[in-house]
Every structure is written in structure tokens, then in C-alpha cells.
Amino acid sequence: SLYRLKTLQRAFPRGSLATSVAYQQSFLIVRFLVERWGDESIPSLIDRLEAGEDALAALSAVTGLSAERFEEEFTRYAAGLHSLVGSLVALLNVWTVAGLLAVVAIGRYLLRRRRLLRRLAEEEAAGEPAGPGGAVRETTALDGEAAEEESPS
């Protein structure tokens, strides 16, 4: 549930979760203002606040809506953002993405290594020479490619 504008105007609620929700809601209010009334709505609002105008009165002057009407429209806007897809996207943060990329990288490394070890075991079982002209095959586990190096005769 969203906090009332009057609550956010006075002070943010105490507690880390409540404060985090209040900051996220404030960000959404700014985003709503910019999307609906344009980039200039924010400097205009700040100018009015710096001049000492009450936050709700300044908001009404910038948007042309009463505080109650603004709150109703903002609530509909915020509800539209919290669809299933919106909720999933909100859960993804930079650490989640970094963790997923790390898991994918480790998986790719293990798959390449497994394929390389399987191929080397098949070559050894078949009794195939190490390479052309008795060359020793040197492998790089990270990229899974083989480089040939002549062995001294």
C-alpha cells in the first residue's frame, strides 16, 4: 500500500523497510510528474518549495490538480506499474544480474571442460597420436581450444 502525500510531506516512516518503501514511492512520484507533466515540472516544483510554499500546494500549482486528485491518479499510475512483469523486473537488481551471469559463466566453463576431457579420453582410448608429427597437444581449459607445440626430438 502507498503512503499518503501528507505522511511523506511530514517525515518518512521509521524502520528500514518502511523508509525504503517511502523512498521508492517518492521516486515514483517524480517519475509520474515527469511522464505526465514533463521535465520542467520538477524544477518548477523545486522553485515553489524553495520559495516556502507548502509541498501539497506547490504540487497542485504545478499539476493543476488538487492534492486528492493527484493522489488518486498517482495511485492508478503506481498500480499499473506493479503488474506481474513489473514486480519481477523490480526484483532484479544489479547483484541478481551479476549472480546470474556468474552462474552462466561457470556453467559454460564446466561444459567446455567436460567436452575437452571427453575428447581427450576418446583420443587416448583410440590410441591416436598426440598430434601431427608426434607433436604434443597443449590445451587451454578456459577456451577449450587446443594449441599444438612441437616436442623436441
Side-chain angles (χ1 to χ4, degrees), residues 111-133:
L111 184 61
R112 284 181 171 177
R113 183 170 181 223
R114 182 179 297 155
R115 286 179 186 159
L116 175 66
L117 291 174
R118 186 180 315 130
R119 190 185 76 214
L120 291 174
E122 289 170 359
E123 288 176 3
E124 186 177 333
E128 295 177 5

Side-chain angles (χ1 to χ4, degrees), residues 66-136:
S66 68
E68 293 79 21
R69 179 78 177 151
F70 178 85
E71 211 160 12
E72 289 170 10
E73 291 196 22
F74 171 71
T75 300
R76 278 195 296 276
Y77 169 80
L81 292 177
H82 288 289
S83 64
L84 177 60
V85 173
S87 296
L88 291 175
V89 169
L91 290 175
L92 291 177
N93 62 32
V94 74
W95 296 112
T96 304
V97 172
L100 289 172
L101 289 174
V103 168
V104 168
I106 291 168
R108 288 189 69 203
Y109 166 78
L110 292 173
L111 184 61
R112 284 181 171 177
R113 183 170 181 223
R114 182 179 297 155
R115 286 179 186 159
L116 175 66
L117 291 174
R118 186 180 315 130
R119 190 185 76 214
L120 291 174
E122 289 170 359
E123 288 176 3
E124 186 177 333
E128 295 177 5
V136 175

Side-chain angles (χ1 to χ4, degrees), residues 3-65:
Y3 291 107
R4 302 279 316 212
L5 292 177
K6 288 181 181 180
T7 302
L8 294 177
Q9 179 184 358
R10 284 191 307 267
F12 277 15
R14 296 195 180 267
S16 61
L17 180 59
T19 301
S20 176
V21 169
Y23 273 108
Q24 289 175 6
Q25 181 176 339
S26 298
F27 169 76
L28 287 177
I29 290 170
V30 171
R31 183 174 160 187
F32 177 58
L33 283 167
V34 169
E35 286 182 17
R36 176 96 183 264
W37 288 277
D39 291 335
E40 289 304 311
S41 62
I42 302 305
S44 177
L45 181 64
I46 291 172
D47 289 344
R48 289 177 173 279
L49 293 171
E50 285 178 341
E53 198 170 333
D54 175 71
L56 297 178
L59 193 59
S60 293
V62 169
T63 63
L65 302 174

